[in-house]
Structure formats: C-alpha cells, structure tokens
Amino acid sequence: MWTLYACGLDPEYFAVTEAALVQNTYPDPASYPKMIWATNYTRLVCQVMFTLFFGGKDFAPKAIIDGKNIQDYLQDHYIAACGHLAKRIHDAGDLEYDPVVGWESMNEPNRGLISYQDITLIPKEQQLKKGTTPTAWQAILTGSGKACEIETWDFGGMGPYKSGSVLIDPEGKSAWLSSSYDDTKYGWKRDPEWRLGECLWAQHGVWDPTTDTVLKKDYFGKDPKNGATIDYEYYTNNYWLPHYRKYSKMVKSIFPDSLMFFQPPVLEIPPSIKGTEDDDPNMIFSPHFYDGITLLTKKW
C-alpha cells in the first residue's frame, strides 16, 4: 500500500472515481462483476503505477522523492526487498537450489501509459473491454473528480461488444492525495515541485485542469530522450528490459547459477536479446497466455 501513497495516490477514493475496481471496496462485494479485475490494467491506478515504475524518469521528471525520481525509488525498493529475501534463503543454508531452483521476474508487467499515441482513444490493441471502459483521458478526468460519460462493454461468444454508456461522477472526489495530506509519517521527503492535490500528469503539462482540455495527447507516445515513436515492442526493449537487467544482476550476485524465469509483458513480442549480453544460458522464457473468451466467460 505504501507505494500508492508514495506515488501520490489516495486508495480511499479509488472506488468512487473508478481509478481501480477492487472487490473489497466495491459497493456490493458479493456482486463484484466476474473478471472485471483484469480491466484494472487500463484504469488510472495501474496506468500511473506502471508508468512511474518503468518510465518515471522520462514521463514524470518532477516526481522526486528522497532525492530520487519515483522510477528509481520504486525499483530500488522492489529489488532491495527481493534481495533481502534472496539473502535470507541463501543464509538458511538448506533452501538454495533445493527447493528454490530459480527466480521469476515481476509477474505480468504492463506498460501503463507508455506507448499510448493518443490518450483520448482506446488503443486498437486493447482487446479487453468489460464494464465501464474509459479512455486514458477519461480515466484521468474521473480520477481528478470530474464527471464523464463512459462507454460500457460486455464480452460475448464473438468477443467484446459495446453495450451502452454510463455517467461516472465522482462529485469532486479525487484519486490523488489532497494538498493537506501529511505523508511525513512514511519518513520520505517529497520534492516541492511534486504538488499533492493535483494530478501528476497535469503537473507535467499533459492536460489543463482549469479547462479540462488535453494539451499533449501523444505525451506518452514518444521517447523524450531521442524522439523515437514508442510501440509496445519498443517499450519492452527500452523500459521493461533495463529493470529486468537490474533485478537479474541482484539475484546473480547471491545465486550465481540460479535459473531466471524471464517474464515479459503478457501476449507481447519478447525482447530482442539473442546474441547479446542478456542472453543468459540459465534463462527460462516463461510468458503467460490467456484464452480471452474462456477466461472471461469461465465456459468452454
């Protein structure tokens, strides 16, 4: 949970803003829609968290905490936590290699907003549409307390289909921490340029909250370091892979011969590593696969 607060998000208002649909905060948990959890990948919270984790330095340079960009802050803590576990396993003396034979990278990573060429449109590659299906721009608006009419979708035997639309009105409640929130209890120091009480993307000029207009609809579609157009394959090679390298280096520093379960984004082209220094002979390619219709309908 602390990572959500570190990123400036307020979990108390995820439900009313639909920034995330979670069963324990759903108005009626017993009627939580089947498999709706998977749509969280394309709602505000996951989009923010994955974007900051893998691309904070490029897309949120103002997000500085304890003197580090939020990307390094999150990745360093993640790797340190896994490293602590690895050392304890190593020090136990009777777990290394049997039964612990290898280490998996982060489960089912996602691009967040990185590679979106137009945040006002649902990307053509987004096949999962169920329940309310906001564009990234609509998710940004409702996450900031603004009302939006959002398409609803359902899933049938031939795949997703539009079933209607609904007004989502958070009535001014925001998924971002208020400016009065005191997060000093966590022990970190947030840079003054990172203002609580305001959408982080507004602070980076993506949109204007005074007029609710998009200013840079392709903000996440170009690599600011070189101007290259980002697609999912580019993201995997240039944003996901560098984190995997750091994670793998940590594991190998403790278990030099460990098997590494290499898990890039689900159903996406894997990184181009053949013949490079990343081509580890102890690597096991472990992608996940889902049959969408079976997954969502729970029927053969």
Side-chain angles (χ1 to χ4, degrees):
M1 285 288 286
W2 69 263
T3 58
L4 296 171
Y5 289 96
C7 291
L9 294 165
D10 189 344
E12 290 194 25
Y13 296 111
F14 288 175
V16 70
T17 59
E18 293 205 350
L21 297 181
V22 185
Q23 186 168 18
N24 69 320
T25 61
Y26 202 70
D28 178 14
S31 64
Y32 184 72
K34 182 168 56 179
M35 295 308 297
I36 199 74
W37 66 265
T39 68
N40 282 312
Y41 273 122
T42 50
R43 298 182 188 275
L44 181 71
V45 174
C46 280
Q47 289 176 331
V48 168
M49 296 300 292
F50 279 118
T51 302
L52 296 184
F53 188 92
F54 290 111
K57 287 188 287 190
D58 281 351
F59 300 105
K62 294 181 180 180
I64 304 296
I65 190 168
D66 282 352
K68 292 182 179 181
N69 182 270
I70 188 64
Q71 175 182 337
D72 290 330
Y73 191 79
L74 293 174
Q75 289 195 21
D76 289 352
H77 277 78
Y78 176 82
I79 290 173
C82 294
H84 178 77
L85 174 62
K87 288 175 184 175
R88 292 296 298 269
I89 289 173
H90 175 73
D91 293 345
D94 60 348
L95 299 174
E96 191 171 346
Y97 302 116
D98 182 14
V100 179
V101 299
W103 291 78
E104 181 185 41
S105 58
M106 180 185 288
N107 181 63
E108 299 195 355
N110 188 267
R111 62 179 170 169
L113 291 168
I114 303 170
S115 83
Y116 272 53
Q117 299 302 316
D118 187 343
I119 61 172
T120 68
L121 302 175
I122 294 176
K124 63 181 184 303
E125 64 270 18
Q126 182 180 326
Q127 296 303 311
L128 178 58
K129 305 183 188 79
K130 184 174 174 65
T132 51
T133 305
T135 65
W137 168 231
Q138 290 172 325
I140 287 171
L141 285 173
T142 55
S144 291
K146 318 278 187 173
C148 270
E149 186 167 333
I150 294 174
E151 292 181 357
T152 57
W153 286 66
D154 211 335
F155 215 87
M158 300 300 292
Y161 63 91
K162 183 180 175 182
S163 58
S165 62
V166 65
L167 181 69
I168 302 300
D169 186 1
E171 298 181 343
K173 297 180 179 68
S174 174
W176 299 97
L177 289 172
S178 71
S179 57
S180 60
Y181 185 81
D182 182 10
D183 62 356
T184 57
K185 64 182 179 181
Y186 295 102
W188 57 56
K189 184 177 181 181
R190 200 180 299 271
D191 190 274
E193 282 199 47
W194 186 357
R195 301 184 301 276
L196 295 183
E198 184 181 343
C199 171
L200 183 59
W201 306 135
Q203 294 180 54
H204 286 86
V206 178
W207 67 291
D208 182 353
T210 63
T211 59
D212 294 346
T213 53
V214 178
L215 302 176
K216 298 176 183 176
K217 65 181 181 180
D218 62 346
Y219 180 76
F220 303 97
K222 303 284 185 185
D223 187 335
K225 299 186 296 297
N226 55 27
T229 297
I230 304 173
D231 57 15
Y232 218 128
E233 187 174 4
Y234 186 98
Y235 156 78
T236 301
N237 281 280
N238 294 277
Y239 289 93
W240 178 82
L241 187 57
H243 167 258
Y244 173 82
R245 288 191 189 111
K246 290 193 291 185
Y247 175 80
S248 177
K249 183 179 179 181
M250 175 277 293
V251 173
K252 296 291 188 180
S253 71
I254 301 168
F255 300 107
D257 300 323
S258 176
L259 299 176
M260 294 300 300
F261 293 89
F262 185 77
Q263 187 184 146
V266 178
L267 298 175
E268 295 296 333
I269 298 172
S272 304
I273 63 170
K274 187 173 182 180
T276 72
E277 60 183 14
D278 296 307
D279 194 356
D280 179 1
N282 280 357
M283 178 188 293
I284 298 170
F285 182 45
S286 56
H288 287 195
F289 171 80
Y290 294 96
D291 176 348
I293 293 178
T294 303
L295 178 72
L296 289 171
T297 63
K298 296 297 185 182
K299 295 178 182 177
W300 290 100

